[in-house]
């Protein structure tokens, strides 16, 4: 689906009207054009730029305004690529499929000789995005406090905003398990059951049952806390999103579980108490690499003897994590300020070096996130008119379509993964 930006949306995002210009922009645009055309020419894509076509055939992208496209790409790299999409300078028939091809070759899109200059070119994250205790609430609010009504438009009835786990084969890879491609192509009606399966498996890994004291870091809209309480556990769930807390409280009350579940506005660093199980779903991505050690030291501090930790984490390859950890990205600027993805290796190393926790179980399920994102995006696009009625504009629609499909390409290509990780304390 193509969503054309209108004058109304342009006026609400004034910074996007500034197209890089001047001698420096002209030089960087020429370099970007040569690199871009050389890169896509060897990929299984079809890219139309004016009267020329590049690529070996595959998902189609059309550059409508080449001068603007390469000016943005040259000056702001991947941020510029995303901003050029927001302004309508380029489009793709199947955005997720196009990004899947690019993500599979991301390490080699720019010649290795030029990658050494990366530190001189890419933007650094602004200091106010660093996830200090003072900044974190604003970073979380930027995304999660947009509108509960918005999220209800494209999430399933569980309001789970993380990867689902569809029925599939699970293969033993020796050091971890892999949930392979779902047996059937999932449809929207499958999503609620698959989200429930994801949550129940995580609770099983954490050993949650009758009488268990549970801490959840990152409440979402309360589904995991509700399911843990239904097992007979006592749950404290924490969040920094006022919107999420309000709706989570409503859902917990409706489930008649208020005596078992408390939802607190609290930074994870301020948590007190002792818990038999600590669970967290796709929250570590918002911690920031500077605070991963603090995060896991907190989990270790509050875990009772004999307790278990189970988290779900989006991860990236370790070498790419090291190469990009100080890079300001399009996702940071428009979607998740302060966010950054760890590698499994980094998590394992930090817990070994700084805590008594040891990684004892891992299920990789990246193929399931690709399907989850596809279903979210299809539902989001189908709800475009209702999203506009909520007060959002056409450019916001393009932004979120880009975000969801950009992410889908990462998982579909295998560049990104999502894992359920289980930790026990070393005896």
């Amino acid at each position: 689906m193509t969503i054309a930006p209108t004058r109304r949306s342009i006026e609400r995002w004034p910074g996007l009207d500034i197209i890089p210009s001047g001698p420096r922009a002209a030089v960087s645009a020429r370099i970007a054009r040569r690199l871009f055309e050389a890169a896509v020419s060897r990929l299984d894509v079809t890219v139309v730029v004016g009267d020329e076509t590049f690529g070996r055939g595959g998902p189609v992208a059309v550059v409508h305004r080449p001068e603007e496209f390469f000016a943005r790409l040259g000056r702001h790299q991947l941020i510029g690529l995303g901003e050029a999409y927001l302004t309508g300078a380029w489009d793709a028939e199947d955005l997720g499929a196009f990004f899947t091809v690019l993500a599979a070759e991301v390490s080699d899109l720019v010649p290795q000789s030029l990658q050494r200059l990366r530190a001189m070119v890419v933007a650094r994250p602004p200091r106010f995005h660093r996830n200090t205790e003072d900044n974190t609430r604003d970073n979380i609010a930027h995304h999660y406090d947009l509108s509960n009504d918005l999220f209800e438009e494209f999430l399933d009835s569980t309001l789970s905003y993380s990867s689902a786990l569809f029925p599939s084969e699970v293969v033993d890879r020796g050091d971890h398990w892999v949930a392979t491609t779902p047996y059937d192509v999932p449809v929207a009606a499958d999503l609620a059951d698959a989200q429930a399966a994801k949550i129940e498996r995580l609770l099983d890994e954490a050993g949650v049952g009758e009488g268990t004291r549970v801490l959840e870091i990152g409440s979402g809209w309360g589904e995991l806390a509700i399911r843990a309480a239904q097992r007979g556990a006592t749950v404290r769930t924490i969040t920094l999103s006022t919107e999420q807390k309000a709706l989570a409280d409503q859902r917990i009350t409706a489930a008649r579980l208020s005596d078992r579940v408390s939802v607190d506005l609290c930074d994870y660093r301020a948590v007190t108490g002792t818990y038999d199980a600590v669970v967290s779903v796709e929250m570590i991505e918002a911690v920031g690499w500077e605070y991963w050690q603090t995060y896991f030291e907190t989990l270790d501090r509050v875990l009772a003897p004999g307790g278990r930790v189970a988290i779900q984490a989006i991860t990236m390859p370790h070498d790419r994590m090291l190469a990009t950890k100080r890079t300001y990205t399009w996702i940071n600027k428009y979607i998740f300020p302060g966010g950054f993805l760890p590698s499994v290796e980094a998590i394992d190393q930090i817990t070994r070096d700084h805590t008594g926790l040891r990684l004892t179980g891992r299920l990789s399920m990246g193929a399931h996130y690709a399907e989850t994102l596809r279903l979210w995006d299809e539902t989001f696009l189908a709800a475009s008119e209702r999203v506009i009625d909520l007060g959002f504009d056409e450019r916001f629609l393009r932004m979120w379509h880009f975000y969801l499909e950009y992410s889908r390409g990462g998982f579909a290509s295998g560049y990104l993964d999502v894992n359920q990780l289980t930790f026990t304390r070393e005896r």
Side-chain angles (χ1 to χ4, degrees), residues 44-65:
D44 294 327
V45 295
T46 300
V47 180
V48 180
V49 184
D51 296 330
E52 298 182 276
T53 300
F54 302 89
R56 303 190 304 187
V60 178
V62 179
V63 179
H64 301 297
R65 301 193 295 275

Side-chain angles (χ1 to χ4, degrees), residues 133 136-137 140 215-219 236-242 245 263-272 275 283 298 301:
E133 290 189 58
T136 298
R137 180 168 289 190
I140 293 296
L215 171 67
E216 181 188 18
I217 300 179
S219 304
R236 182 188 184 193
T237 180
I238 64 171
T239 180
L240 290 177
S241 167
T242 55
K245 172 177 166 52
V263 184
D264 298 331
L265 285 173
C266 177
D267 189 285
Y268 69 90
R269 287 162 284 208
V271 169
T272 58
Y275 305 89
M283 186 272 179
T298 299
R301 171 173 57 81

Side-chain angles (χ1 to χ4, degrees), residues 56-297:
R56 303 190 304 187
V60 178
V62 179
V63 179
H64 301 297
R65 301 193 295 275
E67 186 173 329
E68 176 188 343
F69 177 82
F70 291 113
R72 293 185 185 278
L73 187 62
R75 291 292 284 120
H76 303 299
Q77 299 82 54
L78 290 179
I79 292 178
L81 178 72
E83 291 181 336
Y85 183 83
L86 298 188
T87 66
W90 72 281
D91 267 306
E93 293 180 357
D94 185 338
L95 198 55
F98 181 72
F99 278 130
T100 298
V101 177
L102 268 61
E105 304 293 336
V106 68
S107 298
D108 299 313
L109 290 179
V110 175
Q112 292 295 321
S113 59
L114 294 179
Q115 290 192 29
R116 301 189 188 99
L117 304 176
R118 178 185 180 89
M120 299 171 58
V121 177
V122 298
R124 300 300 189 203
R127 291 187 62 83
F128 61 84
H129 276 195
R130 185 172 175 144
N131 283 299
T132 63
E133 290 189 58
D134 290 336
N135 293 342
T136 298
R137 180 168 289 190
D138 286 342
N139 288 344
I140 293 296
H142 178 89
H143 189 83
Y144 293 99
D145 286 351
L146 280 170
S147 163
N148 286 336
D149 292 334
L150 169 68
F151 289 99
E152 286 179 311
E153 285 296 342
F154 70 93
L155 299 180
D156 65 275
S157 59
T158 70
L159 292 182
S160 296
Y161 189 36
S162 50
S163 180
L165 180 59
F166 300 96
S168 73
E169 183 180 2
V170 178
V171 178
D172 185 356
R173 298 296 192 202
D175 62 342
H176 69 285
W177 296 86
V178 175
T180 59
T181 303
Y183 290 129
D184 301 309
V185 177
V187 297
D190 300 326
L191 200 47
D193 287 344
Q195 292 289 7
K198 173 270 300 293
I199 293 171
E200 296 295 345
R201 185 188 186 280
L202 202 67
L203 294 177
D204 288 344
E205 286 294 298
V208 175
E210 187 72 37
T212 306
R213 298 167 297 173
V214 176
L215 171 67
E216 181 188 18
I217 300 179
S219 304
W221 287 275
E223 184 72 15
L224 186 147
I226 289 170
R227 289 180 176 273
Q230 288 171 338
R231 292 182 174 211
T234 301
V235 185
R236 182 188 184 193
T237 180
I238 64 171
T239 180
L240 290 177
S241 167
T242 55
E243 289 285 310
Q244 286 190 330
K245 172 177 166 52
L247 185 51
D249 279 333
Q250 291 177 25
R251 298 182 75 224
I252 290 163
T253 298
R256 298 183 179 181
L257 292 170
S258 299
D259 59 330
R260 287 189 172 274
V261 182
S262 63
V263 184
D264 298 331
L265 285 173
C266 177
D267 189 285
Y268 69 90
R269 287 162 284 208
V271 169
T272 58
T274 304
Y275 305 89
D276 306 303
V278 181
V279 291
S280 187
V281 178
E282 295 180 24
M283 186 272 179
I284 191 173
E285 302 84 355
V287 167
W289 63 268
E290 303 94 333
Y291 299 98
W292 289 340
Q293 178 180 331
T294 302
Y295 173 80
F296 283 106
E297 287 176 341

